[in-house]
Amino acid sequence: MSDIKTNRSKVRTRGKRAGLDLHQIVEAARSLDANMLSMQSLADFLNVDRKALNYHVKDRQTLLNLVAKDMFSCRFSSNGIAKSKNWQDACRLYAMDLVDGLTALDGLAEHFNESLASWGLEPTEALFGWLGKAGFKDDVAVRLVAMLVTLCMGFARDAIQVKNSADRPRPRTLRAALANVDVSKFENLARIADLEVDTYNRKQMEFNLEIFLLGANAILQPEV
């Protein structure tokens, strides 16, 4: 952060005179622990009066939203999507970039705006462009994108849950449930529990995405 100086020996400055802009504030906030981030802790870090921050950001919630949006936007753009070979590749890239953007947020994921109204205009515009070229009607394209975003958000939530842990809740809870019953009555579940398939890794997301694409293609090319 070459443009951010935090010389605590200097007198704190206020309002416009602090020389801050929104970019500097967000950049500084990203360097701090999100769980400990507050308007006051950021003001202390920047060595400015808290009112200097309030001139740009009204409260902690707004600050967290701005930090989350900035982190997310670094990984979710329209560049690759616009250059995709076809609508399927556009969907794949959109989905994986969305997942990467969400998982990068970690604890800030709760501040993600589900509608993508302001967080992903360009990539979403590019995706709808590909779906339109492929022949999907607008109402169908809307439902497909809503489904795709739901798939991505669900997977990202799971991935964040296990990101810093070796624990996999689904197989663990299944094994715990089977430990208290007669497993002979649940031979299918017992067999599945022994497999310990990891449904939290990238391979699972790729599987989800290919099923989505198969379904979408079936809509595009219905059987005669």
Side-chain angles (χ1 to χ4, degrees):
M1 296 182 296
S2 59
D3 57 341
I4 298 176
K5 298 180 180 179
T6 57
N7 187 345
R8 294 179 180 276
S9 65
K10 293 183 178 181
V11 177
R12 294 190 174 198
T13 52
R14 300 175 60 182
K16 293 182 181 179
R17 291 180 298 166
L20 292 175
D21 59 32
L22 194 57
H23 172 74
Q24 289 175 305
I25 291 172
V26 172
E27 184 181 4
R30 284 187 60 173
S31 69
L32 301 177
D33 183 346
N35 294 322
M36 304 299 292
L37 182 62
S38 67
M39 296 292 284
Q40 189 59 59
S41 67
L42 183 58
D44 291 342
F45 179 79
L46 290 168
N47 195 44
V48 298
D49 190 282
R50 179 170 170 171
K51 290 183 179 180
L53 296 183
N54 289 134
Y55 179 78
H56 298 280
V57 183
K58 66 178 182 178
D59 53 30
R60 180 176 184 270
Q61 183 62 45
T62 302
L63 178 61
L64 289 171
N65 287 344
L66 288 171
V67 173
K69 181 178 180 180
D70 183 66
M71 292 175 65
F72 177 80
S73 299
C74 289
R75 294 166 174 81
F76 191 54
S77 68
S78 61
N79 295 336
I81 296 172
K83 298 176 182 177
S84 298
K85 294 183 296 185
N86 50 48
W87 69 269
Q88 293 94 331
D89 281 349
C91 286
R92 290 187 184 97
L93 187 57
Y94 183 94
M96 290 306 185
D97 280 358
L98 177 53
V99 166
D100 287 344
L102 290 171
T103 53
L105 295 179
D106 206 351
L108 288 173
E110 64 184 273
H111 301 282
F112 175 71
N113 183 345
E114 294 186 22
S115 70
L116 294 179
S118 61
W119 289 41
L121 286 176
E122 290 82 6
T124 304
E125 167 72 14
L127 180 60
F128 271 110
W130 273 109
L131 294 176
K133 291 177 184 177
F136 290 102
K137 295 181 179 179
D138 283 347
D139 61 327
V140 174
V142 169
R143 295 186 186 281
L144 286 174
V145 173
M147 183 179 182
L148 186 59
V149 170
T150 300
L151 282 174
C152 293
M153 292 187 68
F155 175 79
R157 182 183 61 247
D158 287 350
I160 291 171
Q161 182 181 10
V162 303
K163 186 176 182 179
N164 301 313
S165 171
D167 181 45
R168 297 296 184 266
R170 280 191 286 269
R172 172 174 52 78
T173 54
L174 176 57
R175 289 193 298 271
L178 292 174
N180 300 314
V181 298
D182 180 0
V183 293
S184 65
K185 297 180 180 179
F186 303 96
E187 59 181 27
N188 292 311
L189 290 177
R191 184 181 70 257
I192 294 303
D194 287 339
L195 290 176
E196 296 189 1
V197 176
D198 188 351
T199 57
Y200 297 88
N201 58 15
R202 200 170 186 85
K203 187 175 181 180
Q204 179 65 43
M205 183 58 210
E206 291 171 351
F207 179 86
N208 296 347
L209 188 51
E210 292 311 308
I211 296 300
F212 167 84
L213 292 174
L214 285 171
N217 193 59
I219 295 175
L220 189 62
Q221 300 176 357
E223 294 183 4
V224 180

